[in-house]
Amino acid sequence: MFTNLEHLGLAVNDLEAATALYTTLLGQPPYKREHVASEAVDTVFFQVGGSKIELLAGTSPDSAITKFLAKKPEGIHHVAFEVTDIRAEMERLRAAGFTLLNEEPKRGADNKLVCFVHPKSAAGVLVELCQSVGDAQSATE
């Protein structure tokens, strides 16, 4: 079950400049910075009410964010939704005809298991499913 908008992922060219801009815009500093080696990205998270803003900057030419920014300007990269059971949602979405970019959930930033829904099957929007790692472990025990 989808429970809430977890975060908006924003692709940026210069993470430090974007962090300064959003710190000023939101009137607060980020609560977390993280490198996700498996995705070749550096991330910065801001809490905004019950949701978050995630700034993403590629750290290699092979990064999905670097490739995204080579084709498109900075801005919204993906919309992420929190789910109660990521594996069940992946199964449900596959059965409904959505194309998933991951066969299994993988470790993402901010202590989450994640899976992405291909934009071609979601009206042009890259959708991320997120489940807190602690929630995923208790759901499988």
Side-chain angles (χ1 to χ4, degrees):
M1 170 185 285
F2 281 54
T3 59
N4 68 297
L5 176 67
E6 213 286 333
H7 68 268
L8 291 177
L10 308 179
V12 301
N13 289 308
D14 182 336
L15 190 60
E16 294 311 312
T19 299
L21 179 126
Y22 276 88
T23 296
T24 302
L25 177 71
L26 300 172
Q28 63 184 358
Y31 74 86
K32 186 176 203 176
R33 294 172 182 261
E34 186 174 351
H35 175 70
V36 182
S38 64
E39 300 299 315
V41 296
D42 285 335
T43 66
V44 171
F45 283 90
F46 291 87
Q47 187 73 46
V48 183
S51 298
K52 302 169 194 160
I53 299 292
E54 176 188 28
L55 304 180
L56 301 126
T59 59
S60 82
D62 294 334
S63 166
I65 298 301
T66 302
K67 291 176 183 178
F68 176 87
L69 289 169
K71 298 177 199 169
K72 298 180 181 180
E74 292 181 303
I76 295 177
H77 177 260
H78 65 271
V79 177
F81 295 95
E82 183 133 12
V83 297
T84 55
D85 184 336
I86 195 165
R87 287 179 174 81
E89 285 303 316
M90 290 171 70
E91 185 177 317
R92 182 184 72 79
L93 292 172
R94 273 192 205 103
F98 289 89
T99 301
L100 304 183
L101 296 177
N102 315 90
E103 287 300 314
E104 289 292 323
K106 59 184 177 176
R107 275 288 199 154
D110 205 26
N111 199 34
K112 304 287 185 196
L113 286 179
V114 301
C115 174
F116 288 90
V117 178
H118 197 291
K120 288 182 181 175
S121 65
V125 176
L126 180 62
V127 174
E128 181 181 10
L129 309 179
C130 298
Q131 182 178 354
S132 293
V133 170
D135 294 345
Q137 289 171 342
S138 63
T140 59
E141 294 175 345

